[in-house]
Amino acid sequence: MQNLIIEARINEYAGREQNPHVPWSPQEIADTAAQCREAGASIVHFHARAGDGSPEHDIEVYADIIQRIKAQSDILIHPTLGAFANEGDANQRIEPILTLAKDPATRPHFAPLDMGTTNIDAYDSAAKTFRSTEAVYTNTTGTLQYFAQQLLGSPVRPYASLWNVGFTREFLAFIDMGLIAEPAYACLILTGDDLPAAHPGTEQGLAAHKMFIPEDRNIIWTAMNHGGDLMPLLPGVIKAGGHVSIGLGDWPYLELGSRGEPPTNAEVVAAVSDISRSDGREVATPSQAAQVLGVTI
Ligand code: ZN
């Protein structure tokens, strides 16, 4: 079985109310990436954040963060595309990644392709109301084809984010068309109770995803749980040969802290590494992950 590829999902747009160790500044992100690498992560996924934690969309900040990460660590780099997703056409959304990729010093290794369009309104079950009602994450087939074509001509590998089985079917069509090359890297997205957009973060939610990943394709899958605890699913993922995407961006993981302190991202990664090793599965180094995923370092 492949060594376990741990992707550290270090910040997303998480606040610090529950866990103050969510990194925001470029140097905090780079330090966290290096610490996660030491703890067993081979990929870091991050969102640039402004000083007050709000989303940062400046490509220069992304360039700065990637340079800082590379100066401290050999961890593979997976920035969000979402920072550039709110406005503009397909070219405007992917162009920052392609620009970053031109210089080895700022080149990311992955760019996410969310393989469909979905409602992303959060649900407040206590109040029995949606917090918003018009939030749509739009990814048309034409836009995704354009992204995939652009990435095929670049050293950046696509990371297919699969929110549900419809996304998986579009992903498989792209592989069929040669728009996404194998080995293809796919994230099976699970979400907590406040975000009904994806499969629920349960054994059944994950099993329903996995059922539609064909075994005759070279697809490397990883599981994440945004807004929920992934740890209960970890033994099943490790046993099934999947990989793990986890971090404080998704869930505060307070139970993994020590001496009453909330854990750092690196402590969450270390907990995953310990469980995998005790189950007999070594964790992958960045170069091993790159080989499995067809990444050119
Ligand atoms: Zn993200």
Side-chain angles (χ1 to χ4, degrees):
M1 197 177 280
Q2 291 158 349
N3 287 358
L4 185 76
I5 296 168
I6 304 173
E7 174 178 24
R9 292 173 45 83
I10 60 174
N11 63 358
E12 298 300 304
Y13 292 123
R16 289 174 168 169
E17 301 79 18
Q18 290 184 280
N19 189 326
H21 297 303
V22 177
W24 286 351
S25 74
Q27 193 54 46
E28 288 168 354
I29 290 171
D31 289 343
T32 300
Q35 291 155 8
C36 288
R37 160 68 172 106
E38 287 302 306
S42 43
I43 304 172
V44 61
H45 172 67
F46 72 92
H47 293 234
R49 309 282 292 266
D52 62 356
S54 61
E56 172 64 73
H57 302 308
D58 186 346
I59 186 175
E60 293 302 327
V61 178
Y62 276 82
D64 180 31
I65 292 169
I66 293 172
Q67 284 175 306
R68 287 172 193 258
I69 293 173
K70 291 193 178 197
Q72 288 182 241
S73 163
D74 61 350
I75 196 165
L76 303 179
I77 299 173
H78 173 202
T80 186
L81 196 62
F84 313 111
N86 298 333
E87 307 287 338
D89 60 17
N91 184 58
Q92 286 168 312
R93 288 173 61 187
I94 196 73
E95 200 270 338
I97 295 287
L98 303 175
T99 300
L100 292 168
K102 283 180 187 152
D103 181 351
T106 60
R107 179 180 298 158
H109 300 94
F110 300 100
L113 300 189
D114 288 73
M115 299 301 302
T117 295
T118 188
N119 294 345
I120 49 168
D121 299 298
Y123 181 62
D124 182 340
S125 57
K128 297 194 187 301
T129 182
F130 278 91
R131 294 194 173 94
S132 63
T133 55
E134 302 297 332
V136 178
Y137 187 20
T138 305
N139 294 287
T140 68
T141 299
T143 293
L144 291 166
Q145 285 188 357
Y146 183 76
F147 289 170
Q149 278 159 349
Q150 295 301 308
L151 293 180
L152 272 179
S154 91
V156 180
R157 298 280 287 133
Y159 172 101
S161 296
L162 309 180
W163 290 66
N164 59 51
V165 173
F167 283 49
T168 302
R169 298 179 71 191
E170 180 121 342
F171 166 61
L172 295 174
F174 273 48
I175 294 175
D176 201 41
M177 293 166 72
L179 283 171
I180 294 179
E182 297 170 66
Y185 189 24
C187 182
L188 310 184
I189 299 184
L190 309 170
T191 49
D193 293 341
D194 66 346
L195 188 61
H199 288 213
T202 61
E203 298 283 355
Q204 293 91 337
L206 182 59
H209 262 306
K210 274 167 44 192
M211 204 181 293
F212 289 87
I213 299 294
E215 292 188 354
D216 61 349
R217 292 287 195 186
N218 188 357
I219 295 171
I220 314 298
W221 63 268
T222 184
M224 62 164 265
N225 190 6
H226 183 69
D229 185 355
L230 188 62
M231 295 304 278
L233 302 180
L234 210 57
V237 170
I238 291 167
K239 195 167 168 227
H243 301 275
V244 174
S245 297
I246 192 168
L248 302 184
D250 291 329
W251 189 247
Y253 288 101
L254 299 178
E255 72 283 5
L256 297 180
S258 57
R259 299 181 299 279
E261 290 290 315
T264 62
N265 274 291
E267 286 171 326
V268 175
V269 170
V272 175
S273 299
D274 288 348
I275 291 169
S276 191
R277 288 184 177 123
S278 68
D279 286 353
R281 196 168 165 201
E282 188 47 65
V283 299
T285 63
S287 64
Q288 289 170 342
Q291 193 170 22
V292 167
L293 299 170
V295 173
T296 309
I297 300 180

